Amino acid sequence: MSDKKGFIGEFKEFISRGNVMDLAVGVIIGGAFQSIVSSLCDDVIMPAIQLIISKAAGVDDINEMTKVLNVGPILFGQFIAAIINFLIMAVIIFCIVKAFNKMMEIGKKPKEEVKEEPTTKECPFCLSEIPVKATRCPHCTSQLEEAKEIKIDKKKK
């Protein structure tokens, strides 16, 4: 990095790299997804397993089971809330990344299109594709008009 940019310029260059943004988004989304997994385990799966264990132990009353196993009912509402929180966070992160990418595009100069000269042309007699510099068609062996004009111009000089 150049010394002329200074600290802020170097920081802008560092932060504008795509892999830094990808890593930040991955960490944030991973943390949000972790809450879904925790809620699924704590609020849905574990109470269901404890209910099965209590039935196997012969405890029929939910209130008695709660006292014995220290477990509450299955909390689908908390699990759904964790999913909704994750989706809201994902939408917010998506909007931030989209705005960041738009901001990065504004700073870039548009690439100029380089117009390349053609390397082939079409034979007027057989319509085959031939090199631009060809004086005779390799397919139909016709002598090309452009080549005749070039030969005449060379003779005059």
Side-chain angles (χ1 to χ4, degrees):
M1 291 185 200
S2 175
D3 293 334
K4 295 180 182 179
K5 290 183 180 180
F7 180 78
I8 293 177
E10 288 178 11
F11 182 73
K12 281 175 65 177
E13 185 178 327
F14 168 76
I15 221 57
S16 67
R17 291 183 191 153
N19 55 358
V20 173
M21 283 299 293
D22 293 342
L23 181 63
V25 168
V27 167
I28 293 169
I29 295 294
F33 190 71
Q34 184 266 339
S35 67
I36 291 177
V37 173
S38 294
S39 177
L40 177 66
C41 290
D42 296 341
D43 300 331
V44 177
I45 294 174
M46 289 309 295
I49 290 173
Q50 290 172 344
L51 179 67
I52 293 169
I53 291 172
S54 67
K55 292 295 182 183
V59 180
D60 292 330
D61 186 22
I62 292 180
N63 292 330
E64 188 179 329
M65 177 190 67
T66 305
K67 291 176 189 174
V68 171
L69 296 175
N70 194 19
V71 64
I74 296 175
L75 304 173
F76 287 111
Q78 288 184 358
F79 178 63
I80 292 171
I83 293 173
I84 291 171
N85 288 340
F86 172 78
L87 293 175
I88 290 170
M89 187 174 293
V91 167
I92 290 170
I93 295 296
F94 173 75
C95 292
I96 290 170
V97 169
K98 189 171 181 170
F100 182 79
N101 289 340
K102 187 78 159 181
M103 183 179 69
M104 294 308 294
E105 285 178 13
I106 291 172
K108 291 182 181 176
K109 294 180 183 177
K111 292 183 179 178
E112 295 179 19
E113 293 183 23
V114 178
K115 194 171 186 178
E116 295 182 16
E117 293 190 26
T119 58
T120 60
K121 62 182 178 181
E122 196 173 80
C123 173
F125 301 104
C126 68
L127 304 177
S128 299
E129 193 172 296
I130 58 174
V132 172
K133 295 182 179 181
T135 58
R136 192 173 285 270
C137 178
H139 303 285
C140 67
T141 67
S142 300
Q143 192 164 1
L144 304 173
E145 294 296 323
E146 296 89 18
K148 289 179 185 176
E149 293 172 11
I150 293 171
K151 286 181 182 177
I152 293 170
D153 290 340
K154 286 182 180 176
K155 288 180 183 177
K156 287 182 181 178
K157 290 182 182 178

